[in-house]
Structure formats: structure tokens, C-alpha cells
Amino acid sequence: MQNFKKLLKSSIVFIVCLLLVFSVIVYPCFQNGSDYNDSAARQKLSGEINYIFSGASHALAAFNPNIVDEKLNVCSWNLSTSSASLNGRKMLLEKELNRNKIDTVVIDISFDTLLRSQKNENATGEPMIICKLDNSKERFKYLTENVSLFNGDYENVISIFLRYGLKAWVAKLSGEFGTLQNNKGFMPDPSVDVSLSKDRIAYAYEINKLETDYLPENIDALNQTIELCKSHGANVILAVVPISEARIWRYAGWDKFFEEIKKISDQNNCIFLDFNLIKNRFDVLDDKYSFNNETHLSEAGAEAFSEAFSDIIHRINNGEDISNLFYSSYSDMIANSVYNDYLTK
């Protein structure tokens, strides 16, 4: 019995020490100004924000609100988070809809948005959602409702929090806190050359096939999010953020993706803009410097894209027909790609 008491006491001390170490490591994630928490800045602007970008990492790296605000005379915020589940995105969006008079919500739809299963991905996007909440009560509630004890979610979430915490400590100690808040939720990334070399162009063409077996629960969640926005009087734009020409070139099946998202937008009577198909994309974006990787824009790419986005929205707001600014399909866009010159030689 005495040995059992000693073992129990030692176990409790060990667990307490472990929790203490964990708390110290992850603490800066939740501090105002970290790259994961912009809640205080959003609270400060409560009642003033009227334009929201809601998405995952594609949108996080693409929409620069400081540029959009200047061009469209709005007060916008990029509410996107990496690997965000549709349920998490909806929850953050509902918070801002409740405390602001939102005129427009731009919902990011990437090629994998409707494919992601929270169960299969073990809640990889939940830590960033949790960091963006206002207080401990909200975070605990979201954690218990969206992260399972029984399928490995907690182990994954803990490991991600530890990684975020270490990165936040580095940023804090180096004086680099505040990027997310200063950029109104936008997170800039450096440029990386992702262009295809000439000797790989012909080989790489449609070497992969895009998956388009979208999960019904994700389509339902998207429809519910659109309905939520409209119930608050907000206009909804479904937007596909540009990815690299190289990525599009290497995959077949893009027109199926386009048709499926257009069907959803038509059913919900909202605007659909696929910015992969803007006719001047080859002037606006370049695989050599506009991207951080094949599917995410760099800071330079985001600046150019935010300018192009604002120009098109300005035209829409003025009642202009902007259909002539877009290719009608991915097939047409690819036919005008510089890579196509090498394929047809």
C-alpha cells in the first residue's frame, strides 16, 4: 500500500510537471501578436469590419486586406487559417457576423476543400482555429466538441501546439511578433521558383489526375455557411485563389472541379470567381516568383493578386459584365499557357 501511494504521488508530480512544461512551451501561441492569434485585433475592430475572407491556407497566403481596403474602400479581415475545417471556418465566421455588419464574405474554395475529412486528417487544422478564439472558455468548448479522444486527434493536436509554441517563442524572442495582426490576418510568404524546367514540360503534362469525389458532408457544410452569411445580409462570393501554372499543368480534371463549384454557386445564387482563369494571369502572376510552393502564393504574388481581385470586384460593384475577363474553362486557359508551346512542338 505504501509503495502504491509513492507511485501515485510520483505519477501526479510527473503529470503536473509535464503539463507545466507543455503550458510554458505553447503559451506564446495564445498571446496577442503571435502568428496564430489575431483575436484582440479583431475585437478592437468589432463593429467596423465589413468585408471578410474565409478560407484555409490558400486564402491565408493570398488576400492582403491592406491592399483590398485601399482599393475597395472597405474594412476587411482575412479570417483564414491553415488546414481549417469547414466547421471551424463557419464558427469563426459566425463570430464576426454576429459582432459586425458584414457586407461581403469571400469564401475560399480550393481544389481540396471539399475532399478533406476531419476524421482522416486527425484535426490538423484545429489548433489554429483554437488559437484564434477569444478566451480559454471558447477554446476549451471548441476543443471538446471538435477533437476526439479516441482516434488520435489529441496526440496530433498536442504535437502541433508544441511546434507552434516553439515557433512562437522564436518569433517572440527575435522581436517578430505582430505579423498576423498588422496584416489583418494575412500571412506573407517568401517567393520560390516553382516553374517547370523546359525538359520536364512535355513529360509532366497531366501526369496526375485531380480527385473530385467530394464528401457530401463537406458540400452540406459549405451550403450551411453560405446560408449563414445570407441570413446576416451578407453577399457571398465563392472564390478560387490562383495556384501555380505548374500545378495546373501536371493535373487532369480541372474542368470537373470548375463545374462542380459552379453548380454549388448557381444553386445558392452567389457569385463564383475562379481566379485561375483570369485571362491576364500570365501578366499578373509568374511561377518564378509569385508562389511560395505550387499551391500557395508568395507575398509578391499575393500583392499582385489582391490588386487584380480588387479591380474585378470594383467592376462588379459598378455593374460591369466581367465574363470576358475570364477563360471559360481550364482547357482554354491551358491552351494559352506558355508551357503549351513546348507541348505542341
Side-chain angles (χ1 to χ4, degrees):
M1 187 64 179
Q2 193 70 22
N3 289 336
F4 174 76
K5 288 182 178 179
K6 288 183 178 179
L7 179 61
L8 180 60
K9 183 178 179 180
S10 299
S11 299
I12 292 173
V13 171
F14 175 76
I15 292 171
V16 170
C17 290
L18 198 62
L19 289 173
L20 181 61
V21 171
F22 176 79
S23 300
V24 170
I25 293 175
V26 303
Y27 171 70
C29 292
F30 302 101
Q31 280 192 292
N32 296 327
S34 82
D35 287 349
Y36 311 104
N37 181 5
D38 60 0
S39 61
R42 284 184 283 116
Q43 288 182 67
K44 188 176 181 180
L45 283 177
S46 179
E48 298 181 33
I49 297 172
N50 56 22
Y51 211 99
I52 289 285
F53 300 101
S54 174
S57 57
H58 290 82
L60 179 66
F63 291 106
N64 187 331
N66 290 321
I67 292 175
V68 175
D69 287 358
E70 181 180 351
K71 295 294 181 180
L72 296 180
N73 191 29
V74 297
C75 180
S76 64
W77 198 277
N78 192 333
L79 201 59
S80 309
T81 69
S82 295
S83 300
S85 66
L86 284 163
N87 287 336
R89 289 162 59 168
K90 180 185 174 185
M91 188 274 301
L92 287 176
L93 186 54
E94 187 169 17
K95 175 183 287 291
E96 298 309 324
L97 287 166
N98 285 334
R99 64 187 180 189
N100 295 280
K101 178 60 178 175
I102 305 297
D103 176 74
T104 301
V105 176
V106 180
I107 299 178
D108 158 51
I109 304 293
S110 63
F111 58 87
D112 59 352
T113 297
L114 301 179
L115 294 170
R116 291 175 176 167
S117 167
Q118 181 171 310
K119 181 178 179 181
N120 292 338
E121 291 193 358
N122 291 326
T124 55
E126 304 302 1
M128 200 145 181
I129 295 287
I130 293 168
C131 285
K132 291 174 80 73
L133 297 178
D134 289 345
N135 51 59
S136 298
K137 182 179 178 181
E138 285 188 354
R139 290 165 186 150
F140 181 76
K141 184 175 185 295
Y142 185 84
L143 181 68
T144 55
E145 291 179 352
N146 293 276
V147 180
S148 172
L149 278 170
F150 305 107
N151 63 358
D153 282 5
Y154 266 82
E155 292 90 335
N156 196 50
V157 166
I158 288 171
S159 67
I160 292 172
F161 269 133
L162 288 172
R163 186 170 75 247
Y164 284 179
L166 291 172
K167 291 175 69 174
W169 270 115
V170 171
K172 185 177 179 66
L173 294 174
S174 61
E176 296 179 359
F177 249 35
T179 301
L180 201 67
Q181 295 193 48
N182 294 337
N183 290 312
K184 304 184 76 177
F186 162 65
M187 184 55 66
D189 286 315
S191 297
V192 175
D193 185 350
V194 299
S195 60
L196 294 174
S197 59
K198 294 180 180 179
D199 60 338
R200 286 188 54 82
I201 292 174
Y203 164 78
Y205 180 63
E206 294 189 346
I207 195 172
N208 302 302
K209 182 172 177 58
L210 195 69
E211 187 178 349
T212 54
D213 294 328
Y214 302 127
L215 300 175
E217 58 266 34
N218 285 342
I219 296 176
D220 289 343
L222 176 58
N223 288 331
Q224 290 169 18
T225 300
I226 295 171
E227 183 179 348
L228 170 68
C229 296
K230 289 189 172 184
S231 71
H232 284 263
N235 298 310
V236 177
I237 299 172
L238 297 186
V240 178
V241 171
I243 60 175
S244 68
E245 191 179 350
R247 180 69 171 216
I248 296 171
W249 182 259
R250 293 196 298 104
Y251 278 76
W254 290 104
D255 282 330
K256 173 68 172 174
F257 161 71
F258 177 80
E259 291 163 5
E260 290 295 322
I261 306 306
K262 187 176 187 308
K263 185 196 305 181
I264 294 173
S265 71
D266 289 344
Q267 290 171 346
N268 287 280
N269 192 30
C270 57
I271 295 172
F272 172 43
L273 300 172
D274 189 333
F275 287 96
N276 281 318
L277 301 183
I278 52 174
K279 287 184 177 178
N280 66 338
R281 71 161 285 150
F282 305 114
D283 299 321
V284 174
L285 303 172
D286 192 310
D287 279 8
K288 291 184 180 299
Y289 56 81
S290 298
F291 296 89
N292 176 256
N293 54 44
E294 281 196 355
T295 57
H296 295 82
L297 287 163
S298 65
E299 182 175 10
E303 180 177 346
F305 167 64
S306 296
E307 294 268 0
F309 169 85
S310 299
D311 176 64
I312 288 174
I313 297 302
H314 180 71
R315 290 168 181 254
I316 292 174
N317 292 343
N318 286 339
E320 295 183 36
D321 179 6
I322 50 87
S323 58
N324 64 325
L325 301 179
F326 290 80
Y327 292 110
S328 60
S329 67
Y330 276 82
S331 299
D332 288 343
M333 187 276 284
I334 291 170
N336 286 276
S337 166
V338 65
Y339 290 154
N340 196 60
D341 295 338
Y342 294 94
L343 187 67
T344 55
K345 285 182 180 178

